[in-house]
Structure formats: structure tokens, C-alpha cells
Amino acid sequence: MKKVLLTILSAALSVFTLAAASTASFDIEAYKLKKENEFKVVIESIVDLKPVENNSEMDVSSILNNLLGQTTTVIADFAEHTVFSYRIWGNEDPGTTNTYKISISISPFYLYTNDVKDENNVIRAYYNIGNTSYVFPDLNNNVSEDGAKIEQSGSLINPKPSENPTNDMSASWTVRQGSSSHRWIAYGAVAVNISTPDYKNAPNGTYKAQCTVKLESNI
């Protein structure tokens, strides 16, 4: 039997886990910035469109066929292959300018038996970050009359398709507050191609991939 699970471990450092192929799991971390009430990181499952709770496990077997593909080709249908999304809420003092970066690193899926990793049985996967947007929700816009502005900083950093992709990706954005302080939200999503031949040839069992999400400010 092959099963796909998504497990999230969240705290002040939030960890998120995806299980795929026979079964796979990936962990995500988000680092708290500044005061506790100024920042909030939400990871949302694509299966039920609900925030993933701490230490919860999500079965994504129902969408596995959507996720199969090739690691050597681009993800043609991003929406079809999306596994999770993120929302980062923030706020800072009037007149300040800050740059933020979310970095996501995800390993291949390895077979685990009794919590022991078997590196000889692996299912490759290729990930991309995308569908990003940045907005002041109270204004329903990315600019304000008092000079506030939020926008993407540079291009998204995504891995190139390859036989054995290294899945390190990131998105950056800059927030400039005007004479007043405005809440802001950064949105994004992560999509995956799970190697079809690897998955079909993999022995039954539980496969886990470690995923780390890191949030930094003023990079």
C-alpha cells in the first residue's frame, strides 16, 4: 500500500511535514519575527483548504494522481500540483521600510521503516514556489494614499528541473509604511512534481521528505 501524508508541527518555530509516495512527509519551520502580535505565519493544506494545526497529519492520497510528473520538466499546471499555501501577516511602525524573505528547502522522499530512513529507496520530487501576492488587507491594495507600499523584491528563486533537483526556493518582498501603520499579508504556494516512475517502482511503505520553511527580515 502506498499512502501520502502531510504532517505539520508548528510552534513559535513552526514545522510542517509532507508524507508522500508510498508515504511521504515533509517538515516546515517558520521563525517568529519581532513581537508575537506583529507577525503570524499560516500554512494551509490544499486538501481541505484549512490551516494545518500543530502536530497534525494530513492524508493527501486523494490528490496524489494530480501530483505525479517528472522532475526534469517544469510544473506546467501549478494549481493542479499545489500541495500547500502560506500566508504571512505582519505590521510595523509608521515610516519604516523592511524587507522579508521566505526560504523553503525540501528533500526527496525516503522510505522510513520504524522511523529509520532507508536512503536506498527514494522517490524524487521537484518543487516550485509561486502564486505570490502582497497586499494591505485593510486597503485591499498594495499601496496607500499616505505612501505605504508592499511589493515583491526581485524574482522568485526556484530550482531548475533536473534528474536530481535540489529543492531550495525563496520569495522576497519589501514593505514601506506611510504616515500610518497598515497590516500587510504576503501570499504564496508550493507545487510539486512527484516522479511518476520512482513512485510506480517504489516498494510499499512510508516515504518522508523533510521541508524547512525559514522567514527572515531585513535581509
Side-chain angles (χ1 to χ4, degrees):
M1 176 182 177
K2 296 181 183 178
K3 187 178 181 183
V4 180
L5 304 176
L6 191 58
T7 305
I8 306 300
L9 311 173
S10 62
L13 304 180
S14 300
V15 183
F16 162 84
T17 312
L18 166 91
S22 274
T23 306
S25 165
F26 62 91
D27 296 337
I28 296 181
E29 296 184 3
Y31 293 86
K32 181 175 64 176
L33 299 177
K34 296 186 179 180
K35 298 178 182 177
E36 187 174 353
N37 62 352
E38 288 185 327
F39 293 90
K40 182 179 181 181
V41 179
V42 177
I43 303 294
E44 186 172 88
S45 158
I46 196 61
V47 175
D48 54 13
L49 301 180
K50 295 180 179 179
V52 180
E53 300 296 332
N54 186 39
N55 293 319
S56 64
E57 190 171 77
M58 181 180 63
D59 189 341
V60 294
S61 300
S62 61
I63 64 169
L64 179 60
N65 288 337
N66 296 344
L67 308 180
L68 295 176
Q70 302 295 325
T71 64
T72 54
T73 60
V74 297
I75 300 175
D77 190 339
F78 192 93
E80 185 84 354
H81 286 249
T82 297
V83 285
F84 68 89
S85 64
Y86 64 81
R87 296 193 309 277
I88 302 170
W89 300 71
N91 204 344
E92 49 266 299
D93 295 333
T96 58
T97 299
N98 293 290
T99 298
Y100 301 89
K101 179 181 179 181
I102 183 170
S103 302
I104 302 175
S105 179
I106 310 179
S107 75
F109 294 99
Y110 292 101
L111 176 65
Y112 277 74
T113 303
N114 296 326
D115 293 326
V116 177
K117 181 169 70 172
D118 179 0
E119 295 191 0
N120 294 318
N121 283 292
V122 58
I123 297 173
R124 292 164 294 176
Y126 170 60
Y127 295 85
N128 271 185
I129 189 172
N131 285 359
T132 56
S133 63
Y134 311 92
V135 67
F136 297 112
D138 299 326
L139 308 175
N140 197 28
N141 203 342
N142 67 338
V143 296
S144 73
E145 293 181 355
D146 68 355
K149 186 176 183 179
I150 178 172
E151 60 184 349
Q152 183 169 300
S153 301
S155 302
L156 299 178
I157 305 300
N158 272 315
K160 295 180 179 180
S162 69
E163 190 70 25
N164 295 289
T166 300
N167 289 297
D168 297 321
M169 62 211 84
S170 65
S172 301
W173 63 97
T174 298
V175 181
R176 183 185 71 214
Q177 293 286 10
S179 57
S180 300
S181 181
H182 303 282
R183 294 186 307 146
W184 55 262
I185 307 179
Y187 297 95
V190 171
V192 61
N193 276 350
I194 296 175
S195 171
T196 301
D198 284 6
Y199 178 78
K200 288 183 176 179
N201 294 327
N204 291 341
T206 297
Y207 291 77
K208 298 182 180 181
Q210 301 303 312
C211 172
T212 300
V213 177
K214 183 179 181 180
L215 180 62
E216 302 171 278
S217 66
N218 287 329
I219 56 174

